[in-house]
Amino acid sequence: MKLVTYLENGAERPGILVADGTAVAPLPYPDMQALIEDPSRIGAYDEAAAIPLSAVSLCAPIPRPRQDVICLGINYKAHAEEAERYSAESFTKERPIPIYFSKRVTEAVAPDGFIESHPGLVERLDYEAELAVIIGKTARNVSAADAADYIFGYTVLNDVSARVLQTAHKQWYFGKSLDGFTPMGPCITTADEIAFPPVLGISARINGELRQDSTTDLLITGIADIIAELSSGMTLLPGTIIATGTPAGVGMGFDPPKFLKAGDTVECSIEGIGTLRNTVR
């Protein structure tokens, strides 16, 4: 199933895509978080009540996450190499262990919404197409073998980054967490639709130019190990979002770098989920 949050007559509602993805049927939940916590009524929809997608506006699937997004840095080998070329001091991994950081999200940016460029504050604005995992039930001390059972679904996340802020502060929180820096969507594809571990094409295009082009099976630390390690010491609540890292081809990886500017269109796509399209302003 593909689940969305949509805006109709000024109200946000969760729904399910029907009719080959051209319409959305409302679901009996107040929001996506409530649906994730109790998915038992997902099947209780009336396809006859479906609304054409053209008649509504899509929001991010989880517009206001209950907690910061958990992110992995340097989790594709080719991206690790390009990041180290850009700034060895900031991006060299001294040990082969995951790099975790969090990303503040006041409100996730909707599909076709705007990435804020923050003139006067941000230099070297960059994009990162990522597969995001959404936890479906409380996870504590989960083994890697059981990790798939705790996944509700997957979405596309663009980990927008202000490279100067990111590297100047010696940690990544501020440079990753500005308003308008977390586009997400267009939908959540439920875990039953995607074989585990996911082997999906992932790409990013800037103004139509293909920049990132990889597959999600090239993660250095796989999803099962991520969930097992994180849950070994902290509780992952339903609705937790884990962004699993980005492949090579980000703006800082080019020579010279290709950073974003106002007016650019960014399209992040993952096979089986869809394309997240946003414009920089």
Side-chain angles (χ1 to χ4, degrees):
M1 292 174 286
K2 287 184 167 59
L3 305 173
V4 298
T5 296
Y6 65 96
L7 191 65
E8 183 189 23
N9 297 325
E12 289 180 2
R13 296 183 173 88
I16 184 169
L17 292 181
V18 297
D20 297 325
T22 62
V24 58
L27 289 168
Y29 293 92
D31 54 35
M32 189 65 73
Q33 181 64 40
L35 186 157
I36 293 168
E37 292 176 3
D38 176 17
S40 62
R41 292 177 288 153
I42 288 181
Y45 68 91
D46 180 4
E47 191 163 346
I51 309 157
L53 274 183
S54 58
V56 301
S57 298
L58 288 185
C59 306
I62 305 175
R64 287 163 292 279
R66 67 188 297 181
Q67 296 177 307
D68 288 1
V69 173
I70 300 172
C71 303
L72 272 84
I74 317 298
N75 202 28
Y76 286 77
K77 184 175 184 295
H79 175 56
E81 294 168 351
E82 70 178 0
E84 187 172 349
R85 287 195 302 270
Y86 176 75
S87 175
E89 179 183 4
S90 300
F91 294 108
T92 298
K93 289 182 71 172
E94 296 181 356
R95 293 179 293 162
I97 59 174
I99 296 173
Y100 297 111
F101 61 95
S102 63
K103 186 177 181 81
R104 172 72 64 181
V105 187
T106 302
E107 184 166 355
V109 179
D112 293 316
F114 292 100
I115 296 168
E116 299 293 340
S117 60
H118 295 275
L121 174 63
V122 170
E123 299 176 56
R124 301 185 179 183
L125 183 67
D126 214 343
Y127 55 90
E128 296 188 2
E130 306 203 10
L131 175 67
V133 177
I134 299 163
I135 298 297
K137 57 185 179 180
T138 300
R140 183 69 192 267
N141 296 322
V142 175
S143 69
D146 293 335
D149 296 336
Y150 289 80
I151 298 172
F152 176 79
Y154 305 90
T155 192
V156 184
L157 186 145
N158 183 354
D159 180 19
V160 179
S161 306
R163 296 302 186 196
V164 173
L165 291 179
Q166 178 187 2
T167 56
H169 283 262
K170 307 302 179 186
Q171 49 76 33
W172 301 351
Y173 189 75
F174 186 39
K176 297 277 192 173
S177 297
L178 301 184
D179 292 345
F181 269 27
T182 311
M184 190 192 308
C187 67
I188 295 170
T189 298
T190 53
D192 60 307
E193 296 277 318
I194 295 174
F196 189 83
V199 182
L200 308 171
I202 179 171
S203 64
R205 295 179 183 269
I206 311 301
N207 301 323
E209 176 193 358
L210 183 63
R211 298 270 187 91
Q212 294 184 279
D213 188 17
S214 188
T215 56
T216 60
D217 59 322
L218 297 178
L219 295 173
I220 295 171
T221 302
I223 294 168
D225 290 330
I226 293 167
I227 293 173
E229 181 169 51
L230 289 175
S231 71
S232 68
M234 65 181 182
T235 301
L236 304 178
L237 297 173
T240 296
I241 302 166
I242 303 172
T244 57
T246 198
V250 299
M252 71 176 180
F254 290 89
D255 186 15
K258 296 182 177 182
F259 293 115
L260 298 173
K261 61 185 184 303
D264 283 348
T265 298
V266 184
E267 295 174 294
C268 299
S269 301
I270 298 181
E271 180 184 0
I273 303 173
T275 296
L276 173 64
R277 183 180 296 101
N278 300 97
T279 302
V280 181
R281 69 175 179 187

